Amino acid sequence: MTEQYVLYHYDSCLYCRGVRQFLDGVDMRIPMRDILLDREAHIDLVRGGGKGTVPCLRIERDVDDVEWLYESDDIVEYLSAQRRKPNPEALR
Ligand SMILES: N[C@@H](CCC(=O)N[C@@H](CS)C(=O)NCC(=O)O)C(=O)O
């Protein structure tokens, strides 16, 4: 299974804005959940990741393999590295 991402964020958070600007710049589309507009999203973030800090990238590698990555710099670095990886499906 290819990795599935969800970015937990909110609009006025400057750290979130940095991640969103990176995504726009590389034309990478990731589903987002705004924790101020969506109470369920906030609950999922705290339950899943252990704290309500944003931005947080939920990385699902398999149904039972989920990572919650905090820290805007780490999120940008992680996604940059993923983009640089060759895509075996595209090479077929
Ligand atoms: N060093 C973190 C800072 C993240 C941060 O401070 N986020 C704020 C919103 S701008 C937050 O979620 N604060 C509430 C909390 O930590 O529970 C990063 O770069 O992602």
Side-chain angles (χ1 to χ4, degrees):
M1 152 177 185
T2 53
E3 293 187 345
Q4 309 288 316
Y5 305 120
V6 179
L7 183 69
Y8 288 73
H9 76 120
Y10 64 78
D11 204 41
S12 62
C13 159
L14 289 178
Y15 300 99
C16 305
R17 197 168 292 171
V19 176
R20 291 195 307 265
Q21 278 171 354
F22 162 78
L23 292 171
D24 285 347
V26 297
D27 204 19
M28 199 173 186
R29 273 148 240 219
I30 287 184
M32 298 191 197
R33 298 183 79 190
D34 185 318
I35 63 160
L36 294 188
L37 298 178
D38 178 353
R39 196 176 138 69
E40 285 296 318
H42 186 239
I43 292 169
D44 291 347
L45 173 64
V46 174
R47 285 214 184 117
K51 56 182 180 175
T53 306
V54 286
C56 178
L57 183 69
R58 182 182 188 275
I59 305 164
E60 183 173 346
R61 301 192 176 93
D62 216 328
V63 277
D64 54 359
D65 182 2
V66 175
E67 180 184 353
W68 296 77
L69 181 63
Y70 290 91
E71 291 298 325
S72 49
D73 288 348
D74 293 348
I75 293 169
V76 167
E77 194 178 312
Y78 182 83
L79 292 173
S80 300
Q82 292 307 111
R83 283 186 74 249
R84 287 195 299 269
K85 278 190 188 170
N87 177 357
E89 283 174 29
L91 296 175
R92 265 187 216 144

